[in-house]
Amino acid sequence: MPTANLTETLKNYTKDAQLAELIEEIADCCEQISARLKLGALTGILGALEDTNVQGETQKELDVIANDLLKEALLAIPSVAGIASEEEDLPVGGNPEGRFLVLFDPLDGSSNIDVNVSVGTIFSVLELPEGANGGEESAYLQSGRKQLAAGYALYGPSTTLSLTTGKGVQQFALNNSGEFLLITEAMNIPADTKEFSINMSNQRFWQPEMQNYIGELLAGETGSRNKNFNMRWIASMVADVHRVLTRGGIFTYPWDNREPNKPGKLRLMYEGNPMSLLVEQAGGLATTCFGNILDIEPTKIHQRVAVALGSKNEISMLLAAHQPASASKAAELNR
Ligand code: AHM
Ligand code: MG
């Protein structure tokens, strides 16, 4: 069992000392969030707030705590030119001389907090473009390909950190002394799978191509796929994607017609892009069902996206099933 810690490991995966320092700060924040979550109701911070966030969702108190913790810590780092969070209306400028923009979903899956089910923190790091201002939205509107680093902390039975700086995906586990230790050098998504992850209760709202594709998985041995599939849905993207990164599978939150003008439920900048980079770096594929998520040129910081990611061969099957769908509709929805 390797015992290298995060600091030692990062030396092998990036020559950029400032980036390594930044990632360590983010990991520190995740450790503090993990400590709060571990105490659960004992801290008295699990109740819902009156407040709603910019996207009209009720915020749990811990969403706010996690957001403030990350925001304060990151804006104090000289290399950080600004931050953008799922829980903030607008990006917040940091040091004008800084190099990095940090984007995060402070507590993903927060509908799971009060039932003691896994949640997580997702983050993405971009470079501040030449002449741009870290307090302005336009600085952040870069495709996912430009991410310098991406990762997530999963607050499950153990707290883990999965991270990429563009050289594969490394996984760390938090020990009792608050240190992240390397447990996997290279996460690797098997190309084939028999497991899928989708909120089946939305079935009637999906487009026909997705209905047909999932229909074939449900038909199992009696359908065209000739094998039985298993289904898992935790409703914490971090936990569902972690399972995919660990043992394969596909995860999808597709477009549906409940709100037809929204490209999807999940957010491109805080969820779609970082998870897609991690999945690609672990040998999988990530798509909107029509095109690669990492190639989308964002137009809004809080924009949403349809997501399907995971085992390469299964995502290829899903893409083939979507071929008949109109390309113009996909373009119209920026998917
Ligand atoms: P959140 O960022 O507000 O927690 O919302 C995103 C979450 C994902 O973690 C998860 O995949 C999805 O929403 C669950 O949606 P649903 O409640 O429709 O199952
Ligand atoms: Mg989220």
Side-chain angles (χ1 to χ4, degrees):
M1 165 72 74
T3 51
N5 65 22
L6 180 63
T7 313
E8 289 153 2
T9 308
L10 277 168
K11 290 193 179 115
N12 298 329
Y13 290 94
T14 179
K15 294 197 182 350
D16 186 335
Q18 278 186 328
L19 180 63
E21 257 172 53
L22 173 62
I23 291 169
E24 286 180 61
E25 290 284 349
I26 296 171
D28 262 8
C29 293
C30 295
E31 191 253 314
Q32 290 176 53
I33 296 169
S34 174
R36 301 270 193 143
L37 282 166
K38 212 178 274 173
L39 290 173
L42 296 177
T43 60
I45 53 173
L46 300 188
L49 284 181
E50 294 294 300
D51 254 5
T52 50
N53 70 8
V54 60
Q55 285 146 107
E57 299 147 333
T58 307
Q59 287 178 297
K60 303 279 176 175
E61 195 161 344
L62 210 59
D63 287 10
V64 180
I65 290 170
N67 184 59
D68 292 352
L69 203 145
L70 279 157
K71 181 176 161 187
E72 199 178 309
L74 293 172
L75 290 175
I77 304 171
S79 66
V80 173
I83 60 113
S85 162
E86 191 182 296
E87 302 294 342
E88 299 278 336
D89 295 10
L90 295 167
V92 184
N95 179 4
E97 311 293 317
R99 285 175 55 205
F100 301 121
L101 302 173
V102 190
L103 302 90
F104 52 86
D105 179 353
L107 211 58
D108 178 64
S110 49
S111 69
N112 278 324
I113 301 175
D114 41 10
V115 287
N116 198 16
V117 168
S118 300
V119 291
T121 298
I122 313 174
F123 62 91
S124 160
V125 182
L126 292 166
E127 186 117 47
L128 179 74
E130 193 76 32
N133 177 335
E136 280 173 12
E137 183 176 14
S138 55
Y140 296 76
L141 303 181
Q142 309 179 37
S143 82
R145 293 259 169 243
K146 300 214 170 128
Q147 292 172 102
L148 301 177
Y152 64 81
L154 172 64
Y155 311 114
S158 68
T159 292
T160 58
L161 177 75
S162 301
L163 174 71
T164 184
T165 51
K167 292 183 181 157
V169 180
Q170 294 76 51
Q171 185 187 198
F172 304 83
L174 186 64
N175 71 8
N176 283 334
S177 326
E179 209 178 8
F180 281 102
L181 299 180
L182 182 68
I183 53 170
T184 317
E185 280 275 4
M187 294 185 92
N188 180 31
I189 303 176
D192 290 300
T193 184
K194 290 181 170 184
E195 202 159 61
F196 69 99
S197 185
I198 191 167
N199 184 343
M200 280 299 299
S201 68
N202 295 328
Q203 180 172 24
R204 69 188 185 284
F205 304 114
W206 303 332
Q207 61 199 13
E209 290 77 10
M210 184 57 90
Q211 305 233 15
N212 293 341
Y213 168 72
I214 296 290
E216 287 303 320
L217 303 192
L218 294 174
E221 279 176 353
T222 60
S224 64
R225 300 299 305 274
N226 293 317
K227 63 177 180 180
N228 292 329
F229 282 79
N230 189 21
M231 198 199 87
R232 289 284 182 271
W233 183 252
I234 299 171
S236 278
M237 186 191 196
V238 172
D240 281 313
V241 172
H242 184 72
R243 186 185 54 255
V244 168
L245 277 156
T246 305
R247 68 177 187 212
I250 66 156
F251 163 88
T252 178
Y253 209 116
W255 174 86
D256 65 53
N257 66 18
R258 284 174 297 171
E259 290 182 83
N261 293 327
K262 275 192 189 166
K265 172 177 180 176
L266 301 174
R267 291 79 170 171
L268 175 64
M269 307 303 285
Y270 318 108
E271 294 164 330
N273 276 342
M275 290 311 204
S276 296
L277 187 64
L278 288 156
V279 164
E280 275 202 5
Q281 286 290 320
L285 286 178
T287 175
T288 62
C289 297
F290 297 100
N292 199 306
I293 292 174
L294 294 172
D295 293 329
I296 295 175
E297 292 296 338
T299 53
K300 287 197 290 282
I301 192 80
H302 291 302
Q303 94 184 52
R304 304 198 182 231
V305 68
V307 173
L309 54 78
S311 291
K312 214 177 207 164
N313 293 343
E314 198 52 48
I315 293 291
S316 300
M317 297 293 289
L318 176 146
L319 281 169
H322 283 79
Q323 278 285 317
S326 129
S328 60
K329 185 160 185 226
E332 171 202 324
L333 291 170
N334 193 16
R335 290 188 273 148

